[in-house]
DNA sequence: TGTACATCAGTGAACGCGCGTTCACTGATGTAC
DNA sequence: TGTACATCAGTGAACGCGCGTTCACTGATGTAC
């Protein structure tokens, strides 16, 4: 009853669970968050809608699982891109993270909306958020990028902040991972997050494509400006 | 048959149209974009759903009208805030515009989602966009802010752009209003847009409130940084 | 090896919901003589 | 001033849709003797 290979039945169960998610993600990609409907998934899988209830107790449970998967795949990608550059090149790490963020969003606009946008119609997000682990990885990642820049930065431009100004969980996370970092750096990390989010959200929601032919170029310029304003300049 | 005062019947018609919109906006504010449903509006007004069809041919027409109203009210607010400062204080004008943008979004998060976020379930946006006039006013406003900064800015940091890199309508608009401005300034204006959009979108979608107690302060710092990076420093 | 039984994935029908939209109609408001 | 008529805002019932969810069931898969 320990960690053996799954029985045939367990394996089929896992396969079906994976297929449900896969189909749900296809619907998400082709029709947006609202297209994720149990009946639609069942139809696509040539199953009865009721049968899905032995895999997920509720539609919202499925959506929570999908949100987690999506968020995780996003953070996996940004972390991998960042880690392709050594710690000695903090600017490259920041740019890589930011570029990966945008690329993921452009590849998965519906996923981006699922994670950062309007909740699915009628969906109630569970307490603690839909994907707490991925969210805190993203948070730690951003803070790490800022932490690498912090000693290089012109501190005079930053205001004073207190740990109380932030969510206790966030404060604890940062203090544990970056003991030397002052609270003002957290404020800066949130601003960096916002700065990356802006153009990417506009593009994911289709507001940018109608204005410029090359959103990637715009975004790259913005990232470089961001790195510069953080005092980062590799080599 | 020219521009006389409306007859009693015309007046009632106008009043009812206004009430439909008002109720729709209440539903929008309390339940998000998806809560805008003809049946819900009719219920709220103690009317039959069918009766609404003599005011709007279709649900989508109503939503288009609402989006236009919302977008217009947003631009009205940002323009008014900007114009409270003289042309000689371009930084103050930029900050005022940006602050007004955020304030409107915080006051009307559902409206913000309607304008910039996911379309309402099943809504097909009309060609040319749901609110072309408001959109081009917003565009002109942002470009104007950048135009005021352009001569002061460190141009070396900017890349080369061509008018062809942008939507023809956008290019024409800018060339008409700001004949001296190069295309690179348009790219900068779009980046400024993105930068304002980032933190505000995060806040409107509830991602920031859970992280910091004072999103306004964060945003103010970001705006000041933005003004500085544009070379704006009043007085 | 063969038979009886247990498990359990999936069926099919149903419930109740809210939605957008249509349409023949009623009845009050306003107009013409 | 009074009557006949036209306008037209709103009614109420219906249509068809897709949704989430429940539940008694079937029938194949796997297990025990």
């Amino acid at each position: 009853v320990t960690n053996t290979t799954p029985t045939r039945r367990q394996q089929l169960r896992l396969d079906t669970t994976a297929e449900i998610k896969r189909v749900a993600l296809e619907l998400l990609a082709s029709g947006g968050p609202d297209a994720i409907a149990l009946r639609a998934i069942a139809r696509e899988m040539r199953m009865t809608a009721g049968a899905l209830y032995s895999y997920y107790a509720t539609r919202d449970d499925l959506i929570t699982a999908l949100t987690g998967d999506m968020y995780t795949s996003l953070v996996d990608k940004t972390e991998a891109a960042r880690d392709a550059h050594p710690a000695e090149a903090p600017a490259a790490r920041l740019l890589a993270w930011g570029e990966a963020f945008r690329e993921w969003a452009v590849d998965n606009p519906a996923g981006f909306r699922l994670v950062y946008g309007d909740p699915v119609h009628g969906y109630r997000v569970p307490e603690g958020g839909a994907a707490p682990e991925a969210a805190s990885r993203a948070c730690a990642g951003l803070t790490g990028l800022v932490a690498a820049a912090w000693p290089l930065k012109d501190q005079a431009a930053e205001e004073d902040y207190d740990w109380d100004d932030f969510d206790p969980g966030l404060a604890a996370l940062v203090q544990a991972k970056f003991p030397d970092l002052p609270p003002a750096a957290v404020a800066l990390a949130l601003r960096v997050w916002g700065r990356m989010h802006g153009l990417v959200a506009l593009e994911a929601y289709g507001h940018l494509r109608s204005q410029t032919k090359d959103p990637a170029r715009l975004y790259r310029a913005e990232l470089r400006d961001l790195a510069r304003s953080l005092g980062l300049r590799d080599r």
Side-chain angles (χ1 to χ4, degrees), chain A:
Chain A
V1 207
T2 50
N3 215 5
T4 72
T5 60
T7 70
R8 176 169 188 76
R9 266 201 176 136
Q10 287 172 329
Q11 187 55 53
L12 285 173
R13 206 139 215 309
L14 292 175
D15 291 350
T16 306
T17 308
E19 192 183 353
I20 292 171
K21 279 196 198 172
R22 210 202 63 229
V23 170
L25 290 176
E26 283 171 18
L27 289 170
L28 172 69
S30 68
D34 278 328
I36 306 177
L38 293 182
R39 296 197 100 108
I41 293 168
R43 212 180 301 129
E44 194 75 17
M45 293 175 72
R46 275 159 294 129
M47 268 176 82
T48 295
L52 296 174
Y53 281 82
S54 63
Y55 295 92
Y56 292 96
T58 243
R59 184 200 65 145
D60 282 12
D61 286 357
L62 170 60
I63 293 191
T64 301
L66 287 177
T67 307
D69 282 6
M70 275 294 173
Y71 211 155
T72 301
S73 100
L74 166 59
V75 184
D76 283 348
K77 173 159 182 162
T78 55
E79 285 182 356
R82 174 198 62 191
D83 293 341
H85 299 271
E88 296 76 38
R93 282 164 68 84
L94 177 88
L95 294 179
W97 172 289
E99 289 284 359
F101 180 63
R102 175 179 168 275
E103 275 162 25
W104 185 90
V106 170
D107 289 344
N108 309 277
F112 185 86
R113 295 177 189 202
L114 188 62
V115 173
Y116 289 114
D118 266 329
V120 177
H121 185 109
Y123 174 68
R124 271 195 59 78
V125 39
E127 56 177 322
E133 320 82 16
S136 74
R137 277 174 65 199
C139 210
L142 276 167
T143 311
L145 295 171
V146 168
W150 192 252
L152 309 162
K153 188 167 159 48
D154 171 22
Q155 312 272 346
E158 297 303 318
E159 311 167 58
D160 251 2
Y161 282 88
D162 196 275
W163 289 112
D164 282 348
D165 293 333
F166 305 100
D167 170 69
L170 174 62
L173 180 87
V174 173
Q175 287 173 297
K177 287 216 166 199
F178 308 97
D180 298 335
L181 223 52
V186 178
L188 184 57
L190 290 174
R191 281 173 48 202
V192 169
W193 182 28
R195 199 154 167 193
M196 288 184 177
H197 185 81
L199 284 173
V200 171
L202 286 175
E203 185 172 4
Y205 282 90
H207 298 298
L208 216 53
R209 269 251 121 69
S210 61
Q211 311 277 10
T212 174
K213 290 209 180 95
D214 196 352
R217 186 180 174 196
L218 229 53
Y219 183 69
R220 218 175 306 122
E222 184 69 9
L223 280 185
R224 270 196 302 263
D225 204 47
L226 170 59
R228 199 180 318 125
S229 84
L230 289 177
L232 293 177
R233 199 156 311 200
D234 292 348
R235 251 152 309 161

